[in-house]
Structures are given as structure tokens and as C-alpha cells.
Amino acid sequence: MFLNEAKASHIVGGHIEIQLLDKAKSLYTIKMKLYFNELNEDSSTPNNYEEGVICQKRGNISVKDILFTKVSETPFMYSNEFCATKNKMKIIEVQYESVQELNPTIYKDPDGYYVAHNRCCRNSNVSNIVNSSNSGFAFYTEFPPLLRNGKNFYNSSPSFSAIMGEYVCMNDPFRYNFGAVDEDGDSLVYALSTPLKGMADYRNLTINIHGPYPEVQWQSGYNYLNPIPGSPKLEVDSKKGVLTITPSQLGLFVFAIECIEYRKIGKIFVRLGVTKRDFQLMVIDCPPPNNIPNPTLAVSGQIGNTPQICFGENVTIETAYNNNWIYQWEMDGDNIPGENNNTLIASKAGIYNVLVSLKNSCAKSRASAQITLKPISEKTKIQLDKPEICEDDQSVLTTTYQGTEYQFTWYKNLKVLSNTNTVQSSLSTNEQGKYFVVIKANNKPQQCPIVSDTVEVIVSPSPNSQLSTTGDKSEFCAGDLFELNVPTQSNTSVIWYKDGAALSDNAFKLKVSDGGNYFAKLSDGNCSTETIKMDVKKLSVLDIKVDSIPPICDGSITRIILKGTPQGGFFLGDGIVDPINGVFDVANVLEGKHQITYKIRGDLWCQSGEKVTSINIGKPTSFTLSPSKYEVFEGSKIQVSGPLIDKARYEWLPVLNISDSKSRTPTIIARDNQKYTLSLTNDMGCISKSEIEIDVKKSLLIPTAFSPNGDGYNDTWEIKGIDSYDDAQIQIYDRWGNMIYESEGIYKPFEGRVNGSVLSSGVYAYKIWIPRLMRNFEGPLLIAQ
């Protein structure tokens, strides 16, 4: 779903909050705060409307589209407007709101939900991510299921503190409070995270779609733990949300903080959700401080650096006024929004100081010495009758001060309780939270009020109930009936859980068809109770195995030990002399195949069974390859043959230069001298072997002419390679078929003479016979004088 009004004004950050508006009607205000830079290259204004989507986390299923309406635009307050404008920073916070009914019967999935808004685009000059001008945002906040244990569950997400417009000076320590408050008093944990890029781009500036949402792509050297180069690097206090860094590089850097919300339910902390806040910081080169003095502070009506302050009262802190100065007050190291005058009205105890710098300059600030405002209120204790209660129970908080001479103001999670009056010295509550009371004596109006300690009321579940099973077992065979039981009670509802997920069965007996971790939650309308958790195992039919048994072909082996799994079984069959230990006596059986059975007997039928195998007892098949040796020329093809044995398996090794190593009659190509072994495995698995040898001889190089003229060149008929064959027979014939030369055995080169006379020039014929190779060579021979 797209919003046609979307404009491309570049956004610098934002986040989404969800605040409970009306319990009775299940109404929530969903707030979205977007931060726009009005001095970017796109001068368009923020939209009057924006779209968002509510999704179920499990499966990322869209549940509802929502429409946000713009309700306010607030400019960021910079401690130095001149420097901010010089660096093209003029940021406004645009707040959008949407009131939604979130019906608990709809929003009850145990994994929870999230609200998201996809928007484009970021500034084009961002230093730490790829393609920033076409990288969008996905603003994302989770909320928990609104139905727990059959009852409505109420929660507001954390609310981040207002952002002040700030830039960062390179190589200077920088501190920025990104903390949030939670009106439910939930615990908050902060962490750096990778900003979400979302689904929008320059073509679709806003798009309404469920997650998961892609993250931005970091430039090389950057990641979510190192988004801004610095020493020390950017860090966030996990408890307070305070950012600290001493940056070491100029640029514009995006980052994200996630605020994770936990609530103590009973004795454990349960994660409720997370809110992600996306923002950017600019690091600039700030000149040294101008020639202005460090400011000094004074507290009206008090002397010294440790003045005191009563709870609920104000103290004025001031420094010298100079029309050319810019002021920024700090409390506990954090900028105080909007406090930019030379006087500050402080209402809380803490550590205060002021920073001053010159107008129309980007120079660094001068800092005053710190002044600590200490509380001077008298302390007292609250008596709490029940720190932990059921959801519908009451806990009573009582002070030691009584009577109409005192005024009492009760606080819960740091907020005044509007449903109390000033004469209540005690308070009854059924809500979880942290409580304290402020007591003012009517007859001592000038005296500081008395402030109690803070106590916590926890709404707890009831103790666990007893869980039983049919047959008092926690195992069952697949296909069998197996039941879990909780005691039958009137006016009590039951929700069964398997592996943490709710099941549809709600009876006091649960029929179980799968293994898992089971428990039940019971509610009687006043308190919830939870059974112990039971690991139920669904047992399959045993996978029974017997270790591989090699054939027995050696007559010297008399006994073997058989092994089966799972352990605890026994063996049956011919030759078994010890069933428990699996002893097989070879001497008690004849040659052949012998069936062996391994059996297991268990308490359940599926834990019983058997495995049948066999043991082969035999002898190797004796054979000899013939011939055992082949003498051949290099490259010759030799077909070898093993004996023809029924059901035998053949294997020739090595497999080098052999056509099929598994064939009985493969072909070998003679390349080098090599021995080959044939392994023959008969039908009993017994192996016998025989070997052949391939002897590769050199090929003959037979000249077809020579000139016995005594000139020293080719005077004899030299046959290269003939010296390898001492059984060679050589004959030469004239053209009439008469043999004129014969040699047998070691060849001496023919000199072209017969009976001392030189043969006349002409064409003769030769025959060469090599018995060991069974080869005959014939051809013409030219004698040229």
C-alpha cells in the first residue's frame, strides 16, 4: 500500500512509541517522531499523513494498516545556532499520532507484535553507509501479546527523551543522553544496533509492508559496534542509554539504538519488546575556545559548591550575563533542553554546570566548575504488608506518620498518583510498580518535606500445581494413548503448553500424541497457577543393529564376538555359545551361511524387537593367472582373464591403464613395467589373489636402407632395440627369394657382405622373428653402394 502524498525531504532519524490511552476500551496512542533537516538539497515539507502497519512477529503477518496524522512540528534547539546553520543543520521533530483499538482477543499471539513505517530517503553525504541517498528507514517498535493467562495485559513502550540538536567536535569527548522512560516502571536495556534500511527507495518513498526489513549496508570498516570512528569508540550505557565517544574522523554518521523492555513477572524478568531509534551525528572540526573566561556559578541564597535542595522545590543557579555569549546548562553531564540563558531554575538534586561560547563562532565552549545540589529531605520508611500479590489482590503501603497535620503525596514509577488525596497516610494497590510518598508537615511550611524510601510491589503468579500422567510414566510408544492430568477444580480454566506454545486443548486431561516439554497454566479468576514442566518422550520402534561381521575364511579362527545396538539384548542361532555376550563358535558349524538373530526385550512394545543377520564361513577360491608374465612393446593392448567363478566379484589393482578394474576380462594398455593383482571374492566373501607381470620392451627401429661403401656413414644395417631380444631370428633375401643372410641370437649389425663379397646395389627383403613376443617383422631393404 502506498501513500501518494510522500515527498523526498531527507530524514535524519526517528522512532515509534506506543502508549496506553484507555484500559477499558483497549485504546493506544501510537506516536511516530520523524526528524527532518530543513537545510538539505530537497526543500519539500513533511507530509500531513503517513502510513504504518501492525504485524504479528510470528510469520511476519500483516494484521492492520494504520494512518498517522501530523500533530506538531518542533525545531531542535542547538547550543550554537550559528555553527549548526553553517554546517547545514536545521532539524525539526515532526510528531505523528494514530489512536488504535488493540483488542486483546486479537493481539494474543505469544511471540508478540510490531509497528513499522518504511520511509525514504537519507542524506546523500552520509559517510558510513553505502548509497545513502537511496537508503531508506524502517522505524520499528515491538509490543507484547495483550492477553496473558486469559487476562488482559497492559503495556506502554519506552518513551525516548527529546533530542537536542547537537554536532560533535572532532577529538573532543562527547556525551549524549539517548535514554528513555517507561511509565510502567519496566526495566530498560540499551544497545547499539544496525539501522534498518526498510523497503522504500527513491521510486517508492513510502511503502506499507510487513517485515522482515533489510538493514543498511555499512561502508568498509564500519559496523553497528563501530558506526563512528573514535578513540574511545561510540558506546552506549546499557542501563542509562547515554552515548559517549571521542570522534577521530570528520563526517556525517548514522547509527541506531535499541531499547529493550523487560518486566518482572513473579521472580523472573520477561522481555516485552524493543524500540529502535535511528539517528545521525555530524562530526566537525571545532576551533579552540575563543578568548573568553571559564564561567563561574552561584546559587541564590546559598554559599559554597555543595548547596542543598528540598524535594519539590527550586533553586536558582546563575552565571555572568554577556550578550555575546551562548549558554548551555548541563545536569549530570547531559544537556538540559531549552536552558540557554545565564540563569537556571533547578528542581532536582544533581551535578550542574554551564557551557559558554561566542555567538557567530564555531569555537569550542568553555565550561564552568560543577555545583552539586544535595537533597536535604528527611527520610522515612514505608511498611509494605505484601510485596508480592496475585493480580486481583491488594498490597497496603503504610507510613509511620499519621494525622491531619501532614499532607501525603503518593508516587508510582516517579509519577504522582492522581487517584489519591493529601490525607492518605496509607495506600492500597493491586498494580505492580515502585512506590514512595512525600510528606509535608502543615505546621512547618518552611521545612523540607519528608521523603520515604522506595518499595516495589510485584504482581506474582501462584505456586505450581501437581501434574500427573496415566501410568505414572513420562514415555509412551508412538500410536499409544497417553494423557497428562491436572486436578479437577471448579471455576478453573486450563491452558496447556507444549514447548512453550499454547495448545487448543483446555480440559483437565490432555491427550498427548507427540513428545515435548509440557505444562499447564490454571486460572481461577483470582490467581494463576502453573504446573511443573515435564519432558514427555514419544518413543519410536527401536532401530536395532548388529555390527558388520566379516566372512570367516581363515581356518585358524575359532571364535568371534558379536555386538548389537542398543545394548541389553541377546543373540540366537547356530554357533552361538554365549547369547548374552554374543560368542559365536566357528568349530560348531559347517561351511556356508548361518542366520543369527539379535533380540531386545523392553518394558514397552516399541522398545522390543530383533535384527536378523548372517555369518559366512568358507574358503578362498584357489586360482593362478596364466600366463604370469607378458613381454610386449610399449602401447600394446593386452586382454587378461581371470577364472570364471559363479557369483564371484573381481577387482584388479592397481587401476592404472586398465579398462575396467571390476571386469573379469579387462584390457591393459602397456605403458610401463607393472604388476597387477586380481582379487577374487567368492559367494562366501572369501578373497583369493593372483598376480601377473607386464614387461614393456623397447620398440624396434628398422632402417629400410644402408650404404656399405666404406665412407663411414651407414656402412652397416643397425637395428635399434634389437639388443633387448637375445632370441631374435633375422633373415635377408635377394629379389629371387634366396636367403643370403641369417642371424639368430645376439645380433651383430649386417655389413652388406656375403662370403666376403660386397653385395650389389639393389632392393632386398628382410624377416625378423622374435619368439618371446610372438612377433614377425618384414619389409624391403635397399643396399646402395
Side-chain angles (χ1 to χ4, degrees), residues 360-537:
N360 303 325
S361 171
C362 281
K364 298 179 182 179
S365 301
R366 293 283 191 184
S368 70
Q370 295 178 334
I371 282 184
T372 301
L373 288 183
K374 291 188 174 181
I376 57 174
S377 297
E378 181 182 341
K379 290 289 185 179
T380 186
K381 289 186 175 296
I382 292 178
Q383 296 176 352
L384 180 63
D385 66 338
K386 289 183 289 187
E388 296 185 12
I389 58 174
C390 293
E391 292 178 340
D392 293 332
D393 201 357
Q394 294 284 328
S395 184
V396 179
L397 297 78
T398 307
T399 71
T400 57
Y401 290 84
Q402 305 288 328
T404 57
E405 64 266 33
Y406 297 103
Q407 296 182 19
F408 304 89
T409 304
W410 289 92
Y411 289 78
K412 174 195 170 189
N413 298 332
L414 301 179
K415 291 185 177 180
V416 175
L417 287 173
S418 59
N419 58 347
T420 61
N421 56 62
T422 59
V423 298
Q424 285 184 250
S425 60
S426 64
L427 175 69
S428 294
T429 182
N430 63 352
E431 295 181 353
Q432 183 163 309
K434 297 176 180 179
Y435 295 81
F436 69 92
V437 65
V438 177
I439 307 169
K440 185 75 173 177
N442 293 327
N443 58 356
K444 299 178 181 178
Q446 302 303 317
Q447 180 177 310
C448 285
I450 302 163
V451 182
S452 76
D453 59 345
T454 299
V455 296
E456 185 174 8
V457 175
I458 299 174
V459 179
S460 303
S462 298
N464 293 339
S465 61
Q466 185 65 40
L467 177 66
S468 61
T469 67
T470 303
D472 293 327
K473 294 182 180 296
S474 60
E475 298 177 340
F476 69 99
C477 292
D480 284 357
L481 175 65
F482 185 79
E483 289 183 338
L484 297 173
N485 307 284
V486 292
T488 301
Q489 304 169 54
S490 60
N491 301 320
T492 301
S493 61
V494 180
I495 302 176
W496 288 97
Y497 289 79
K498 173 181 176 289
D499 297 330
L503 302 177
S504 58
D505 301 81
N506 55 12
F508 291 101
K509 289 185 178 183
L510 175 69
K511 292 182 180 180
V512 175
S513 58
D514 290 302
N517 182 269
Y518 288 84
F519 68 97
K521 289 184 178 180
L522 295 86
S523 175
D524 59 4
N526 295 316
C527 249
S528 294
T529 181
E530 186 175 297
T531 69
I532 61 171
K533 293 177 173 61
M534 176 177 290
D535 288 316
V536 175
K537 293 182 180 179

Side-chain angles (χ1 to χ4, degrees), residues 19-29 99-102 152 154 156 183:
Q19 303 297 323
L20 178 63
L21 179 64
D22 189 326
K23 277 187 178 182
K25 298 180 180 180
S26 297
L27 293 181
Y28 289 79
T29 301
V99 176
Q100 296 291 325
E101 178 187 0
L102 303 182
N152 292 351
Y154 302 102
S156 293
E183 69 175 32

Side-chain angles (χ1 to χ4, degrees), residues 592-709:
K593 289 189 176 183
H594 298 274
Q595 182 173 297
I596 302 296
T597 302
Y598 178 64
K599 287 191 173 186
I600 294 179
R601 293 174 180 169
D603 293 335
L604 299 173
W605 67 266
C606 58
Q607 296 299 288
S608 301
E610 63 182 39
K611 177 69 175 180
V612 178
T613 186
S614 61
I615 299 177
N616 293 343
I617 300 176
K619 294 178 181 179
T621 301
S622 179
F623 74 98
T624 301
L625 294 174
S626 180
S628 62
K629 184 174 182 178
Y630 294 83
E631 293 183 330
V632 295
F633 287 125
E634 181 181 6
S636 299
K637 294 183 178 180
I638 308 165
Q639 186 174 43
V640 294
S641 179
L644 180 60
I645 305 296
D646 186 35
K647 298 180 181 180
R649 289 179 284 113
Y650 302 86
E651 184 175 22
W652 296 84
L653 292 174
V655 299
L656 185 68
N657 301 320
I658 194 164
S659 61
D660 184 358
S661 64
K662 304 294 184 181
S663 171
R664 183 178 68 87
T665 58
T667 299
I668 298 174
I669 299 176
R671 300 295 186 194
D672 298 291
N673 293 341
Q674 182 69 57
K675 291 182 178 180
Y676 288 88
T677 299
L678 172 60
S679 296
L680 185 151
T681 304
N682 61 24
D683 61 344
M684 288 293 106
C686 297
I687 300 174
S688 53
K689 298 181 180 182
S690 183
E691 185 179 80
I692 62 170
E693 180 179 1
I694 306 298
D695 188 5
V696 178
K697 298 298 184 179
K698 294 182 179 178
S699 299
L700 296 181
L701 182 58
I702 305 172
T704 59
F706 73 103
S707 56
N709 56 11

